[in-house]
Amino acid sequence: MQDKIVVITGASMGIGAALARQLGQQRAIPVVVARSRMELDAVAAEAHPLALAIVADVTQRADVQRVVAETLARFGRIDAWVNNVGRGISRPVLQLTDDDIDAMMAVNVKSALYGMQAVMPHFQERGVGHIINVSSMLGRIPFASVRSAYSASKAFLNSLTINLRMDLRTDYPHIHVSTVYPGVVATEFGLRALGGGHDSRQFPGAATPEEIADAIVGCLLRPRADVYTRPGQHAQVAAYFAAEDVATVEAGFGGPPVGKPRG
Ligand SMILES: NC(=O)c1ccc[n+]([C@@H]2O[C@H](COP(=O)([O-])OP(=O)(O)OC[C@H]3O[C@@H](n4cnc5c(N)ncnc54)[C@H](OP(=O)(O)O)[C@@H]3O)[C@@H](O)[C@H]2O)c1
């Protein structure tokens, strides 16, 4: 990983910040992206002496294009790009508004789409590169119905990721495209969900952000299409889709406690 330039969106806290620190320990150079300048600067300073912090709102296409331009201006190349920004929602299907859907699509889908589209010309020019999209187990099995439009947006992201990989396979075999599927992770994700909700850090058995960062670093070192972050998760997905009647499986879903929506 030494001197690899890795752009991480959503790196001012949580999984993105843990990934930046972990990459720094491996002597890769993280480019950390988020909206909060102070937090970003702190993460960058801790991660690597050459780390670059770029304040950007990745729901804005122009901001994402600026991240590519500023990174190339500083380092001359980008080796990997991790679309990690994401936001939850605490709203069941029957309460979803148009604005809820638009917000989930903007932050969980368009942010990653802009990243893939903005960095790809550079990857194609070099013939190498790695896109990692951070999805969720909820994008594979929507077992927490209160996360409704969040899970749907992650399923959307999964499809885009697969299709990009298919499109690149023949002409660009050294450009890798991967999806990572964390389960519940102990970050501020739950509290920051649209509509509020349960603190993910209180959820028994939640993974640490470092555990997910480890899995992402593993994928950077050994690229693969799908990355499940805990043993058993892949089997859980396979069992769900293999079921003759998914309704019987759904009856057993506990799902993460997300609390009562506040707004
Ligand atoms: N935590 C979980 O339980 C869990 C489970 C499965 C999957 N995931 C996925 O893992 C990823 C990371 O989640 P996390 O738990 O680390 O979340 P988090 O702690 O809430 O951090 C989210 C990060 O994204 C940044 N961000 C949010 N909106 C942004 C925007 N428009 N432009 C730029 N940056 C933005 C935030 O910084 P600023 O506010 O400073 O911009 C922050 O750095 C997400 O894709 C999430 O869906 C999380």
Side-chain angles (χ1 to χ4, degrees):
M1 291 301 299
Q2 185 161 1
D3 295 336
K4 296 275 185 214
I5 308 298
V6 183
V7 176
I8 311 162
T9 72
S12 61
M13 61 178 75
I15 294 168
L19 177 61
R21 288 191 290 266
Q22 221 136 306
L23 286 171
Q25 282 158 17
Q26 308 244 0
R27 295 197 282 168
I29 303 172
V31 176
V32 291
V33 180
R35 294 164 302 179
S36 317
R37 163 60 70 191
M38 267 175 52
E39 287 79 355
L40 263 189
D41 283 345
V43 171
E46 200 189 334
H48 192 288
L50 298 179
L52 175 62
I54 302 178
V55 174
D57 176 352
V58 296
T59 64
Q60 303 301 311
R61 190 186 281 276
D63 274 27
V64 178
Q65 286 165 339
R66 179 171 54 79
V67 172
V68 173
E70 286 185 19
T71 306
L72 292 180
R74 173 70 69 93
F75 299 110
R77 66 172 204 288
I78 296 170
D79 295 298
W81 181 287
V82 183
N83 284 308
N84 167 70
V85 159
R87 188 182 186 196
I89 192 169
S90 300
R91 206 105 72 199
V93 172
L94 294 181
Q95 289 177 18
L96 285 172
T97 65
D98 290 349
D99 286 349
D100 290 337
I101 304 287
D102 291 347
M104 288 295 99
M105 291 302 288
V107 74
N108 295 324
V109 176
K110 287 186 181 177
S111 64
L113 177 65
Y114 297 157
M116 294 188 283
Q117 291 180 340
V119 76
M120 200 48 67
H122 173 67
F123 284 178
Q124 287 172 318
E125 198 184 317
R126 296 180 70 212
V128 292
H130 195 165
I131 294 274
I132 297 185
N133 289 335
V134 179
S135 179
S136 169
M137 274 294 282
L138 289 175
R140 299 292 274 143
I141 315 176
F143 48 53
S145 59
V146 77
R147 290 277 189 245
S148 64
Y150 168 77
S151 307
S153 68
K154 290 295 193 181
F156 196 128
L157 176 64
N158 298 346
S159 292
L160 295 188
T161 311
I162 292 165
N163 289 160
L164 176 64
R165 185 169 54 243
M166 290 167 62
D167 291 346
L168 293 169
R169 185 170 43 210
T170 306
D171 292 340
Y172 299 97
H174 301 297
I175 299 178
H176 304 289
V177 184
S178 308
T179 319
V180 178
Y181 304 101
V184 180
V185 189
T187 68
E188 292 192 18
F189 176 85
L191 288 179
R192 288 163 62 101
L194 189 54
H198 189 90
D199 188 343
S200 315
R201 293 168 297 194
Q202 309 291 323
F203 188 75
T208 61
E210 288 72 25
E211 202 177 326
I212 311 306
D214 258 345
I216 297 172
V217 171
C219 181
L220 286 166
L221 290 167
R222 193 170 65 83
R224 49 202 192 280
D226 284 346
V227 177
Y228 292 91
T229 59
R230 282 246 168 117
Q233 286 175 332
H234 189 191
Q236 200 182 355
V237 171
Y240 179 67
F241 286 102
E244 287 260 325
D245 177 3
V246 287
T248 59
V249 188
E250 285 156 11
F253 287 162
V258 291
K260 256 189 169 307
R262 278 203 296 258

